[in-house]
Amino acid sequence: MKKLLLSLLALTMVLVMAACGSSSEDTSGSDNEASAEDKTITLGVTPWTSTVPPTEIAKLIFEDMGYTVEETSADAGSVYVGLSRGDIDVFMDAWLPVHQTYLDEYSDSIEETATSYAPAAAGLVVPTYMEDINKVSDLKGKEDMFDNTLYSIEKGASVTGVLNDAIDQYGLDLKQVNSSEGGMLAQAMKLMQQEEAVLFYGWRPHTMFNKLDIKILEDDMKVLDTASVHVVTNKELKDNASDAYEFLSNWSIPIDDVEAMIKKIEDDGEDPKKVAQEWIDNNQDKVNEMLGK
């Protein structure tokens, strides 16, 4: 009887230990899953050519740091909403001052983390064959030459509001016609091929200045002053991914490099990931500096 009781007791202890071991393994698995989830970074991507190179570079570096990287494509306004909610962690192509309204609106949850490059020229653009139009004020009284039309990018972009402000402040009889970046440029190129007058929105970095014979009009009233491009992050990133945040806080890239990469991607048809990796390989010292190595 005593032997039977001892056997039952030993069996009970084995079962208890096995259950504890199983519970421990399950907990460990949950921790691993949570850890893997925490190692995910989501990048916001706008439909602008300038967004692609820095986003691809950051993505490759994050992946090398051990992060899983996801992308959310949306217009600028939706990207900032996603940042404010924590659905998006990083946006590599924030244009100031035109995006300052978003930073102010969501100041409790997002922050400007680094300056990517500056200055970035932007404004109203005409073909260089329009020799008498060199300043925005030169448009006054000549709006009918352009069919009273200013071609611009999508309505979701905050710069469309700035362009309307410029039209009002200069007292111009112009209507802003919005479409995609590609649609705007296609219309401008169509009119330029016929050497007709055309007015549209332009900015650097962009291959339009390599492909087209155009000029940015001088902004007499500084309504469309030069921009600077920044990295914006959700404020929780600093605690959730401190090494990624440190890298981003040290981020910078020459505007000429961005423009050269855009050309390779848009004009030469090269794979964006390949172009980004090439930049990393050619700028390893700079990458190490941004990583704090």
Side-chain angles (χ1 to χ4, degrees), residues 112-125:
E112 184 273 315
T113 305
T115 299
S116 190
Y117 50 86
L124 301 185
V125 172

Side-chain angles (χ1 to χ4, degrees), residues 28-282:
S28 175
S30 299
D31 289 344
N32 288 338
E33 289 175 9
S35 176
E37 186 175 335
D38 290 341
K39 294 285 281 184
T40 298
I41 290 180
T42 302
L43 294 163
V45 183
T46 48
W48 311 327
T49 54
S50 62
T51 306
V52 177
T55 300
E56 288 293 331
I57 292 170
K59 180 179 180 180
L60 288 172
I61 294 174
F62 285 144
E63 289 175 344
D64 191 54
M65 295 170 72
Y67 289 94
T68 298
V69 181
E70 298 178 351
E71 296 183 6
T72 297
S73 298
D75 60 48
S78 298
V79 166
Y80 280 99
V81 170
L83 282 164
S84 71
R85 293 176 177 174
D87 300 326
I88 294 174
D89 300 301
V90 183
F91 180 38
M92 299 296 296
D93 201 28
W95 287 67
L96 299 180
V98 293
H99 288 178
Q100 188 62 50
T101 54
Y102 296 123
L103 291 174
D104 293 341
E105 182 176 359
Y106 305 120
S107 60
D108 290 342
S109 54
I110 68 176
E111 65 176 33
E112 184 273 315
T113 305
T115 299
S116 190
Y117 50 86
L124 301 185
V125 172
V126 299
T128 55
Y129 56 71
M130 302 194 71
E131 298 178 358
D132 294 334
I133 307 292
N134 296 296
K135 301 184 294 184
V136 178
S137 57
D138 291 338
L139 297 169
K140 184 71 174 178
K142 301 174 183 176
E143 296 93 337
D144 58 340
M145 291 175 59
F146 303 92
D147 197 23
N148 301 89
T149 299
L150 164 61
Y151 294 103
S152 181
I153 57 176
E154 70 275 2
K155 287 185 178 180
S158 57
V159 73
T160 58
V162 177
L163 291 172
N164 283 331
D165 288 343
I167 290 172
D168 291 340
Q169 291 190 43
Y170 279 97
L172 300 174
D173 184 16
L174 292 171
K175 178 183 178 181
Q176 185 176 175
V177 174
N178 301 100
S179 64
S180 66
E181 176 184 324
M184 176 193 73
L185 289 174
Q187 182 62 31
M189 291 172 69
K190 177 183 176 181
L191 293 169
M192 289 177 67
Q193 285 172 357
Q194 302 167 23
E195 292 200 4
E196 294 186 16
V198 60
L199 178 67
F200 60 102
Y201 176 60
W203 65 93
R204 286 195 67 201
H206 201 288
T207 58
M208 69 175 79
F209 292 96
N210 301 103
K211 295 187 290 187
L212 304 175
D213 197 6
I214 57 178
K215 58 187 176 183
I216 296 179
L217 299 181
E218 181 185 341
D219 183 11
D220 320 47
M221 300 174 65
K222 305 299 181 186
V223 182
L224 299 163
D225 209 356
T226 56
S228 57
V229 177
H230 299 251
V231 175
V232 174
T233 62
N234 178 278
K235 287 186 176 180
E236 294 182 356
L237 184 71
K238 189 173 185 178
D239 294 327
N240 295 340
S242 58
D243 55 346
Y245 179 85
E246 180 184 359
F247 156 62
L248 291 173
S249 66
N250 295 325
W251 170 270
S252 69
I253 188 169
I255 187 172
D256 291 339
D257 287 9
V258 177
E259 207 155 65
M261 286 187 280
I262 292 173
K263 182 182 183 302
K264 288 181 179 180
I265 295 167
E266 294 296 312
D267 294 351
D268 303 337
E270 294 189 30
D271 178 61
K273 183 176 181 180
K274 177 184 175 183
V275 172
Q277 186 62 60
E278 182 180 322
W279 186 89
I280 292 172
D281 293 341
N282 292 336

